[in-house]
Amino acid sequence: MIIIITGASHTGKTLLAQRMLEKYKYPYISVDHLKMGLIRSKNTNLTPADDDELTNYLWPIVREMIKTAIENKQNLIVEGCYIPFDWRRDFDEVYLESIKFICIAMTDGYIEAHFREIKEHGSDIESRLDDSYCTIDTVKAENRKYVEGYKKSGETITLIDEDYEQIICDLMKR
């Protein structure tokens, strides 16, 4: 089984991946780790700010890693925000049968009511060296982008509107 966890920044993707690793003992790969390895090793001239270009650059690598894991009957959690909205087009049905897709997003209302906590928990699993870009407006805009993009592609989005912890626990049961 391959579990893809995606969504906007600060939605808890890494937290969910870590909890799934602990519960199911599936290894997980952070697409952010892959991104930073390629950037720091100078295998790309892209920077962490080049979101759209990074999706185009990283997705072919991640896609083929997913296919390899499926072909080898291995479990894997793939966590990150660089999953294209139309990711399914890159897999035949035989692959899709082995992939579980989770997209996490927050509603504007939730962000407004809980922005301080969202920022406070931003480094719970991984340390964010610079979180200055994270404002209530950028968080709202990014969440809307994910909701609109994945809905347009026919994906189901898990919307966090009230009890964050309960939603994460519910995702663990699926």
Side-chain angles (χ1 to χ4, degrees):
M1 174 63 62
I2 306 300
I3 303 171
I4 298 175
I5 303 171
T6 194
S9 180
H10 290 79
T11 55
K13 299 179 301 293
T14 308
L15 172 69
L16 180 59
Q18 181 68 34
R19 287 189 183 173
M20 286 185 163
L21 173 141
E22 293 167 3
K23 180 176 180 177
Y24 299 114
K25 309 296 185 225
Y26 291 4
Y28 89 83
I29 180 164
S30 165
V31 182
D32 277 343
H33 290 174
L34 176 60
K35 168 189 79 176
M36 292 310 299
L38 290 164
I39 290 171
R40 288 179 171 177
S41 67
K42 309 239 185 283
N43 278 294
T44 181
N45 291 324
L46 296 171
T47 71
D50 297 323
D51 282 341
D52 291 337
E53 295 89 350
L54 281 164
T55 298
N56 293 333
Y57 182 69
L58 295 169
W59 177 243
I61 298 166
V62 172
R63 176 192 68 218
E64 297 308 315
M65 292 170 67
I66 290 169
K67 287 179 180 178
T68 301
I70 292 170
E71 290 160 0
N72 287 301
K73 298 180 179 24
Q74 296 171 311
N75 299 314
L76 181 65
I77 300 166
V78 177
E79 173 270 320
C81 57
Y82 302 104
I83 310 298
F85 298 135
D86 60 351
W87 67 274
R88 287 183 188 269
R89 70 172 159 67
D90 291 329
F91 295 97
D92 293 334
E93 189 59 39
V94 69
Y95 289 106
L96 290 171
E97 292 170 1
S98 298
I99 300 173
K100 176 180 173 180
F101 178 80
I102 299 171
C103 178
I104 306 169
M106 297 174 179
T107 64
D108 282 356
Y110 184 87
I111 294 165
E112 289 167 5
H114 300 277
F115 183 69
R116 185 179 53 78
E117 297 103 307
I118 292 167
K119 285 273 293 194
E120 286 174 359
H121 291 286
S123 292
D124 281 359
I125 305 296
E126 296 178 332
S127 296
R128 295 178 189 270
L129 299 178
D130 180 11
D131 208 17
S132 60
Y133 71 91
C134 181
T135 66
I136 195 165
D137 291 330
T138 60
V139 172
K140 284 180 178 181
E142 189 175 356
N143 275 271
R144 281 188 220 119
K145 174 185 163 187
Y146 277 81
V147 169
E148 291 167 10
Y150 282 116
K151 276 192 177 178
K152 187 176 180 181
S153 291
E155 298 293 346
T156 300
I157 296 99
T158 299
L159 276 177
I160 298 169
D161 191 29
E162 291 184 22
D163 188 342
Y164 178 87
E165 192 59 40
Q166 184 60 53
I167 290 172
I168 295 298
C169 288
D170 290 347
L171 286 170
M172 293 287 297
K173 296 174 188 173
R174 290 186 187 173

